Structure formats: C-alpha cells, structure tokens
Amino acid sequence: MNSRFHRRLTLASSVTGAVAVALDGTVLTVAQPTLQRDLHATFAQVQWTSTGYLIAVASLLVFAGRLGDRYGHQQVFAVGILGFGATSAAIGFAPGIESVIGLRVAQGVFGALLQPATLGMLRAAYPADRLGMPIALRTSAIGLAAAAGPVLGGALVTALGWRAVFFLNVVPALVMGVLALAVRGPARSRAASGGLDVPGACLLAVALVSLVHTLVGIPETGWTTASTLGLVVVIAAGAAFVRHERRTASPLVPYDVLGSTTVGAALGILVAGSAAMLGSLFVGSYYLQEVLELDPLQTSLRALPGAVMMVLGAPVAAVLLRRQGARRTTLAGMIALTSSVLLLSQLDRTSTAVSIGSGFLLLGAGFGTVMVTATAVLVRHASAESAGVAGGLQQTAMNVGPTLGVATATLLMALGTGVAMGPPLTALAAVSALGVVLALRLPGPPGSSGRIRQESINKYGAGDGS
C-alpha cells in the first residue's frame, strides 16, 4: 500500500480516536443532570458513570499498549474504536442507571484499547524526527473537541435528551474501525513478541486503581483514613511493580522505557502540566459562576481563549520543537503555564473580561505546547517496538494529572473560604513549577538526540530492547 496514503489514514484514525474520547467526556458532563432526573438516580450513582469509566481506563492503558506492541496497533485500535462506538450506542438505549454504569465501565475497557493505539500507530507510520506535527494536529483536535463538546452536548440534550449525546461517536467509530480492519499497513516488526507480563499488569492496575479511586474520593469526603490507606496501597503496589519489572524476562514496561530519565521527565511534565491545567479550569469555573455569577454559556466564553490557543498553538509548538529542541520549547511552555496559573490566582470580584481572558489564553498556549512536546519526546524516545507502552504511559499521565489537579484544588477550597482563587491556584502553580524543573532533563537542541540515544544504549546494552 502507498505509504503516503497509509500515513494519512493513520493520522485520520489517530485524530478520530482521540476526538471520540475527548468529546465523550465533555458531552457526558453536560448530560449528567438530565440523565439523573430521567433515570431517577442518586448523585453518587451519576458520579460513577464517570468514575467507573476512569478507573477502567487508567488500570488498563499500559497493558493495552503492550497488546498493541505485540499484536499490532492497527488491529487493537480497530477493536477499541468499534467497541467504544458499540458501548456508546448501547448506553443510549440503556433502561436504567445500573446499566449505564456497567456499560460505561465496558466503554472504559475499549477506551483503554483505543487510546495508546492512536499514538502507537503514529510512531509506526512516521519517522521519529517527524512525529511533532502529527502529534500537534492530534492535540489541536482534542482542544477543539473539548471546546465544542459542552456547546454541542448542551444543544443535543436540550433538543433531544441525554441519550442523543451517546450516538455522536457511533458512525465515526464504525467507519474508522472498518477501515482499520480492511486496510493493511506496512509489515509489523516481530521484535515485540515476548510475553505480556500479566503479573506486572495486575500490580500496575492495583496501584493505578487505588490512586485514581483515592483522588476521586477526596473532593467528596476530604482527606480521611481511607485516603491514607489508599495511598499506602499505591506505594506498596507501585514498589512491587518496579521490583517485578526489573526481575522478569519479559517486562510490561521495557527497560528502555522504565529506566529512562527522559521518559520519566516527560511523564512528570505531563502529570504536572495537566494537573495545573485542569485544576485551574475547575477553580476558574467556580470563580466565574459563583463569584462573578455568570451563567454556563458566559463562563464558557470567558474560558474560550484557552481552547483557541490550544488549537492554534499546537502546530506552532511542533515547529518550535523541530527548530529549538524539546528542552527549550517545553521550558517555554511550562513557564507560560505556571505564569498563567499565577495570573489567574490574582483574579477577584473586580477583574475585567480582558484580564480573565488573558489568563486563560496564556493557560491554553502553555498547556498546548507542553502536551505536544512532552508527548513527542515520550513516543519518539521509546523504540518502535515499545510505542504502545509509551502511548499507554502518556495516556495514564493524562488521566492521573487532571484527577490530581481537581482533587488538590477541591481540598484547598474546602479548607479555605471557598471563594478566594489564591490558595488553590498557588498550590497548582507550585505543581506546574515542578514541570519547569523536569523540562531541564529533556533532550537539548537538534543534534543532541543521537548522543542521548547512545548514552541509553551504553547504559542498557544493545541487546535488551533499547
């Protein structure tokens, strides 16, 4: 098959998959109040339509990436997106809240298959030094979906009811899934034919489920004994996972990924950046609606500059990445992100629309840059045979970071007056500042990647998958 056509199809599939997941999350948030009324559900039950999905996704992302490395990202993508579309349609016909929760968990399983494959396919289709722009276009599409989702979801719920939002992804999922099954890509390398490391996957799942469940529970219950026990389980399971990975012959996370300081820095940046971004949006929405007493539409318009800059800035970040290197570009993005959070922390009842819009604009510009550069570094640094695992780790960071950011903001708001922007956003700015420090560990200007790669080979050896 023509390689140019395959790259275009791969990019379209990657974008469609990423948009489907982003759109699903935003429209569900809009639909939940109506869903609760129609199905006579409790607030806790409605929350589990999100929590159940998030736990299923977070626990399986890395293992799903490993499946793609072994059996082919295109095949795993096809199963994931077809299952995602099918469960979405089934939710639209669900008779009760219990069915919705169960189907959302199943949708999370298919979402876990889908998301790492969207990055694994790009890594397999594009040369490592040309990944920046495809990832930037994928990032822009996610930003566009996040901005359009509330508006589109609100219109559908108002006109047709909550069930309509779950049919949005059905046709695109069917089309892209059938194309992925019907169109054969280039021959796949057999280098990643080792075991799947089920014990390692189970240990990682326990750690991630405990982490996500603990963080999700903090906004509702505050810091409790259960929260402390949850973190103890996270630490114990995480330590057992690392110990297991270092000893097993076929680790879930290969040595070139697990022991790489570059990969670790990129993951830390994604967690810190997404925590600051989503935590700030959470606090900002509270400020706009509760302090300035704006309605949801006016709130969305105040925050719109952030989404616009994320969409427009991502391709610019790809160009800067190629010309200036990952370290300088990510540093600029993290500094912009940290500055924007600090700027937003100064807002009060007298703040103007210009100052509010400026803060969100800088927030979107910084986060869009960080997401493009850190993702590109992560996927590029891993070998093609480990691209799915790298994609799974990236998606895991992008699930854990927002949960951490919202939990931090909620806890600090509960401890304070509930009105001041300063304390929660100052804490989130400190989290973002950690990303600035981590950015110093990324590869330098173009030309230094070969040296870093050689250091990795010298450290791990040429025969261990690096």
Side-chain angles (χ1 to χ4, degrees):
M1 183 179 61
N2 183 277
S3 61
R4 180 176 295 180
F5 172 77
H6 179 255
R7 286 180 182 174
R8 290 177 178 174
L9 177 61
T10 298
L11 181 58
S13 298
S14 179
V15 168
T16 301
V19 166
V21 173
L23 199 59
D24 176 82
T26 55
V27 298
L28 174 64
T29 302
V30 176
Q32 280 177 329
T34 306
L35 181 153
Q36 181 179 358
R37 290 193 298 269
D38 287 358
L39 297 182
H40 308 290
T42 66
F43 180 75
Q45 286 175 319
V46 172
Q47 286 299 101
W48 268 100
T49 63
S50 296
T51 302
Y53 174 89
L54 181 60
I55 288 176
V57 168
S59 63
L60 293 173
L61 280 168
V62 179
F63 185 66
R66 179 61 176 160
L67 288 175
D69 289 333
R70 184 173 183 185
Y71 297 111
H73 300 295
Q74 195 165 309
Q75 289 79 3
V76 173
F77 170 82
V79 173
I81 197 165
L82 288 173
F84 194 89
T87 50
S88 187
I91 293 169
F93 292 111
I97 187 62
E98 294 82 4
S99 301
V100 173
I101 293 172
L103 287 167
R104 281 288 290 171
V105 172
Q107 191 177 38
V109 174
F110 289 112
L113 292 173
L114 163 65
Q115 293 181 60
T118 63
L119 289 171
M121 290 190 302
L122 291 180
R123 179 67 176 86
Y126 288 85
D129 60 348
R130 291 293 182 269
L131 278 169
M133 190 56 71
I135 289 175
L137 294 175
R138 179 179 177 275
T139 302
S140 292
I142 292 172
L144 185 61
V151 178
L152 182 58
L156 285 173
V157 172
T158 301
L160 302 172
W162 67 268
R163 297 179 186 274
V165 302
F166 289 101
F167 295 106
L168 272 175
N169 291 322
V170 174
V171 173
L174 178 63
V175 171
M176 299 312 301
V178 170
L179 281 175
L181 290 174
V183 178
R184 290 189 174 275
R188 186 172 59 88
S189 169
R190 305 300 299 179
S193 59
L196 292 175
D197 188 18
V198 174
C202 291
L203 287 170
L204 183 59
V206 169
L208 290 172
V209 167
S210 299
L211 177 60
V212 171
H213 189 270
T214 300
L215 292 176
V216 168
I218 288 174
E220 183 177 352
T221 63
W223 192 265
T224 63
T225 302
S227 304
T228 303
L229 291 175
L231 287 185
V232 170
V233 173
V234 172
I235 295 170
F241 170 74
V242 172
R243 185 171 183 269
H244 169 80
E245 292 298 284
R246 289 176 173 174
R247 295 187 173 192
T248 187
S250 299
L252 176 67
V253 182
Y255 299 122
D256 64 329
V257 178
L258 182 66
S260 169
T261 55
T262 300
V263 169
L267 288 173
I269 288 166
L270 288 171
V271 170
S274 60
M277 170 71 171
L278 273 296
S280 297
L281 286 178
F282 175 81
V283 178
S285 295
Y286 178 89
Y287 158 78
L288 292 171
Q289 295 188 51
E290 299 298 325
V291 177
L292 297 189
E293 300 180 346
L294 303 179
D295 61 35
L297 178 59
Q298 292 172 320
T299 297
S300 299
L301 291 176
R302 290 289 195 280
L304 187 60
V308 171
M309 281 305 300
M310 185 174 169
V311 173
L312 299 179
V316 176
V319 174
L320 292 175
L321 176 63
R322 182 180 298 181
R323 295 180 178 177
Q324 299 297 323
R327 186 186 305 154
R328 292 175 180 173
T329 308
T330 309
L331 266 175
M334 287 305 309
I335 290 172
L337 182 59
T338 305
S339 300
S340 69
V341 179
L342 290 173
L343 182 62
L344 290 171
S345 73
Q346 302 303 309
L347 297 179
D348 55 28
R349 295 180 184 275
T350 64
S351 299
T352 65
V354 173
S355 61
I356 295 169
S358 299
F360 282 112
L361 185 146
L362 191 59
L363 186 74
F367 182 68
T369 300
V370 169
M371 188 171 175
V372 170
T373 53
T375 300
V377 167
L378 180 61
V379 177
R380 181 191 299 175
H381 187 83
S383 65
E385 292 77 22
S386 303
V389 169
L393 290 170
Q394 190 267 357
Q395 292 294 318
T396 300
M398 295 301 296
N399 278 275
V400 171
T403 309
L404 173 64
V406 172
T408 301
T410 304
L411 184 61
L412 290 175
M413 289 171 71
L415 293 175
T417 63
V419 175
M421 296 274 281
L425 289 185
T426 300
L428 290 171
V431 173
S432 182
L434 293 176
V436 176
V437 177
L438 290 172
L440 297 172
R441 309 198 70 169
L442 295 184
S448 64
S449 59
R451 174 180 56 80
I452 293 174
R453 183 65 175 167
Q454 186 60 48
E455 290 175 357
S456 177
I457 292 174
N458 292 339
K459 181 177 181 181
Y460 296 105
D464 63 2
S466 65

